[in-house]
């Protein structure tokens, strides 16, 4: 069985994240979606909220396993017993960042196979930051969030200061 890991902060999960996971499911038997605890970022949603949103988004699909993880991506891959690490890229800035990270990770795990999945054209601008900015300025963000979790997002956004 071929399995991959797709890790990120998912703060919040977007239609871009959803598209990457759906692409992974075309290539792999299962996908581990890991909500990473990134100490350099101040998350808008709690880890539990992000895990719950992703679980709801892929509810009923036994091929998707959502977890939270604190540590290096290579340790996560070893824990999940896979060498396939998927990264979504929207533009050359994402690519440069991911590529630099790849070379560092490859030194720690030589068997690592990193797979870049480019954003589809109508989702290139989508990011969690864009959603948070939309909330901050009270703008519509519904087209950036999967419909399956839109109501949950509205409830979570009430009373939050971005």
């Amino acid at each position: 069985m071929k399995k991959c890991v797709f890790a990120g902060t998912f703060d919040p999960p977007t239609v871009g994240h959803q598209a990457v996971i759906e692409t992974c499911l075309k290539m792999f038997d299962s996908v581990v979606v890991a909500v990473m605890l990134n100490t350099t970022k101040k998350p808008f949603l709690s880890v539990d909220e992000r895990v719950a949103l992703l679980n709801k988004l892929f509810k009923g699909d036994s091929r998707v396993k959502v977890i939270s993880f604190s540590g290096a991506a290579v340790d996560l891959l070893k824990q999940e017993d896979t060498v396939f690490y998927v990264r979504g890229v929207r533009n050359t800035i994402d690519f440069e960042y991911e590529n630099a990270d790849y070379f560092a990770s490859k030194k720690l795990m030589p068997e690592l196979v990193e797979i870049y999945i480019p954003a589809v054209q109508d989702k290139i601008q989508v990011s969690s930051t864009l959603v948070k900015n939309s909330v901050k300025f009270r703008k519509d963000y519904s087209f950036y969030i999967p419909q399956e979790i839109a109501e949950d997002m509205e409830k979570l956004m009430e009373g939050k200061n971005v």
Side-chain angles (χ1 to χ4, degrees):
M1 182 168 96
K2 292 287 184 188
K3 154 170 82 166
C4 71
V5 167
F6 176 47
T9 51
F10 304 104
D11 186 38
T14 68
V15 293
H17 296 130
Q18 181 182 27
V20 170
I21 295 165
E22 288 171 351
T23 299
C24 289
L25 290 170
K26 293 176 182 175
M27 297 185 296
F28 294 93
D29 300 313
S30 65
V31 180
V32 176
V33 179
V35 175
M36 300 296 277
L37 306 174
N38 186 337
T39 57
T40 64
K41 293 183 177 181
K42 186 179 182 305
F44 183 61
L45 299 173
S46 73
V47 171
D48 290 341
E49 289 169 334
R50 290 177 272 159
V51 167
L53 288 169
L54 287 161
N55 273 321
K56 183 170 184 179
L57 183 56
F58 291 96
K59 183 180 177 181
D61 193 333
S62 61
R63 301 171 299 162
V64 178
K65 175 176 131 182
V66 180
I67 64 168
S68 62
F69 190 81
S70 177
V74 294
D75 295 330
L76 171 60
L77 291 165
K78 289 175 184 173
Q79 174 185 297
E80 292 300 325
D81 194 28
T82 186
V83 297
F84 300 107
Y85 189 46
V86 171
R87 308 305 300 145
V89 292
R90 292 168 297 202
N91 52 38
T92 57
I93 295 167
D94 283 355
F95 178 78
E96 291 297 328
Y97 173 83
E98 296 298 344
N99 220 29
D101 194 51
Y102 163 72
F103 289 120
S105 295
K106 188 80 169 165
K107 286 186 187 279
L108 299 172
M109 185 180 181
E111 66 274 24
L112 170 72
V113 176
E114 189 148 314
I115 299 165
Y116 300 124
I117 297 180
V120 293
Q121 190 171 14
D122 67 337
K123 293 178 178 59
I124 286 176
Q125 81 286 2
V126 177
S127 70
S128 295
T129 300
L130 181 60
V131 174
K132 289 183 273 197
N133 285 341
S134 296
V135 170
K136 180 179 179 180
F137 296 112
R138 293 177 166 64
K139 299 297 178 194
D140 183 19
Y141 59 86
S142 62
F143 30 85
Y144 305 128
I145 300 293
Q147 288 304 305
E148 298 88 342
I149 60 171
E151 283 184 35
D152 301 85
M153 278 296 299
E154 283 183 37
K155 289 176 188 171
L156 289 171
M157 296 299 171
E158 291 173 9
K160 291 222 183 212
N161 293 321
V162 180

